Amino acid sequence: MKYLKAKKFAALLLAGMIVLAGCGAKEQSSNEQAPNVTTENQQKSEESQKPEQKPEEKEEKTEDKKEEKKEEKKEEKSEPAKTEDKKQEPKKEEKKEEVKKEAPKKEETKKEETKKEVKKEETKKEGPKKEVKKEESKPASKYKDGTYSGTAKGYEGNITVSLTIQGDKITALSVTESGDDPEYLEDAKAVINSILSSQSTGVDSVSGATFTSNGIKAAAQAALDKAKN
């Protein structure tokens, strides 16, 4: 019996403890919900206390906003123009640099032109010197001194002559061989005196012995060609 009474007493204690615990939890939940309700009530009271905006004030605000947007657009337009100006400024600087680069080129071309002019003047000055050298290189005499022979065709055969040069002059001329008739040869020998007097083979032939005299002249010219310097 004592054991049953103790058991009932313990059960009653547990039930009381559970009831007390449930009451405490309800109070805490009611306390947590209370501030949320108060905050919502405060917000509604504040909104009710705010003054309502007049339609004129609203219109002014919209106009101000429009003007602000217009100014922003103007600023946006002006900004690319400024950027273009900034882009153009380096282009101008590049042109100046190109002009600076071209200036020394012009100076170089002027220097080259002056050098060419100086060279031309030097060549002009050197011109007579070269001519003097050419004159100096020319031989002093037209013919070499000595005795030379020459052969040419006469009337019936070849005619050979002996020609002597001394001091660039023909000093002697004679026929050494001939296949022509002696009579015609003697008449043709008259051309020898003409050659010695004129110092040239370009003399007239002897009439009556034309072919033989022409042979003597041709043979004398062949000897002169051998004597040339």
Side-chain angles (χ1 to χ4, degrees), residues 77-133:
K77 289 180 181 179
S78 62
E79 283 178 357
K82 288 179 181 178
T83 53
E84 287 178 357
D85 293 332
K86 288 180 181 178
K87 289 179 181 178
Q88 288 177 357
E89 285 177 357
K91 287 182 180 179
K92 290 179 180 178
E93 291 177 355
E94 288 177 358
K95 287 181 180 179
K96 287 180 181 178
E97 289 178 356
E98 288 176 357
V99 172
K100 288 179 181 178
K101 288 179 181 177
E102 288 176 356
K105 287 182 181 178
K106 289 179 180 178
E107 290 177 357
E108 287 177 359
T109 52
K110 286 180 181 179
K111 288 179 181 178
E112 288 178 356
E113 288 176 357
T114 52
K115 286 180 181 178
K116 287 179 182 179
E117 289 176 356
V118 170
K119 285 181 181 179
K120 285 180 181 178
E121 289 177 357
E122 288 177 355
T123 51
K124 286 179 181 178
K125 290 178 181 178
E126 289 176 356
K129 289 181 182 179
K130 289 180 181 177
E131 289 176 359
V132 171
K133 287 180 181 178

Side-chain angles (χ1 to χ4, degrees), residues 12-114:
L12 290 170
L13 284 173
L14 284 170
M17 292 287 288
I18 290 163
V19 171
L20 290 170
C23 291
K26 285 180 181 180
E27 286 179 358
Q28 284 180 356
S29 62
S30 63
N31 289 326
E32 287 176 356
Q33 288 176 359
N36 290 327
V37 173
T38 54
T39 52
E40 287 177 0
N41 292 323
Q42 285 177 359
Q43 287 177 357
K44 286 179 182 180
S45 63
E46 286 176 358
E47 287 177 358
S48 63
Q49 287 176 2
K50 285 183 181 179
E52 292 182 357
Q53 290 180 351
K54 293 180 180 179
E56 292 178 356
E57 290 179 355
K58 289 180 181 180
E59 288 177 358
E60 286 178 356
K61 287 182 180 180
T62 52
E63 287 178 357
D64 292 332
K65 287 181 181 179
K66 287 179 182 179
E67 287 178 356
E68 287 177 358
K69 287 181 181 179
K70 286 180 181 179
E71 288 177 356
E72 287 177 357
K73 287 180 181 179
K74 287 180 181 179
E75 288 177 356
E76 288 177 356
K77 289 180 181 179
S78 62
E79 283 178 357
K82 288 179 181 178
T83 53
E84 287 178 357
D85 293 332
K86 288 180 181 178
K87 289 179 181 178
Q88 288 177 357
E89 285 177 357
K91 287 182 180 179
K92 290 179 180 178
E93 291 177 355
E94 288 177 358
K95 287 181 180 179
K96 287 180 181 178
E97 289 178 356
E98 288 176 357
V99 172
K100 288 179 181 178
K101 288 179 181 177
E102 288 176 356
K105 287 182 181 178
K106 289 179 180 178
E107 290 177 357
E108 287 177 359
T109 52
K110 286 180 181 179
K111 288 179 181 178
E112 288 178 356
E113 288 176 357
T114 52

Side-chain angles (χ1 to χ4, degrees), residues 117-216:
E117 289 176 356
V118 170
K119 285 181 181 179
K120 285 180 181 178
E121 289 177 357
E122 288 177 355
T123 51
K124 286 179 181 178
K125 290 178 181 178
E126 289 176 356
K129 289 181 182 179
K130 289 180 181 177
E131 289 176 359
V132 171
K133 287 180 181 178
K134 286 180 182 178
E135 289 176 357
E136 289 176 355
S137 64
K138 286 181 181 179
S141 59
K142 188 176 180 180
Y143 300 108
K144 294 179 282 186
D145 292 343
T147 300
Y148 304 93
S149 65
T151 303
K153 190 177 181 181
Y155 180 69
E156 290 182 356
N158 290 330
I159 298 171
T160 302
V161 299
S162 175
L163 185 141
T164 302
I165 299 290
Q166 190 174 2
D168 211 18
K169 289 182 180 180
I170 303 169
T171 58
L173 179 62
S174 62
V175 178
T176 57
E177 292 179 5
S178 176
D180 289 351
D181 192 351
E183 292 179 359
Y184 290 107
L185 182 62
E186 287 297 326
D187 292 335
K189 283 181 180 179
V191 79
I192 292 171
N193 292 326
S194 299
I195 292 169
L196 290 170
S197 62
S198 65
Q199 292 292 309
S200 174
T201 58
V203 294
D204 294 333
S205 300
V206 178
S207 60
T210 305
F211 291 102
T212 304
S213 60
N214 285 336
I216 293 168

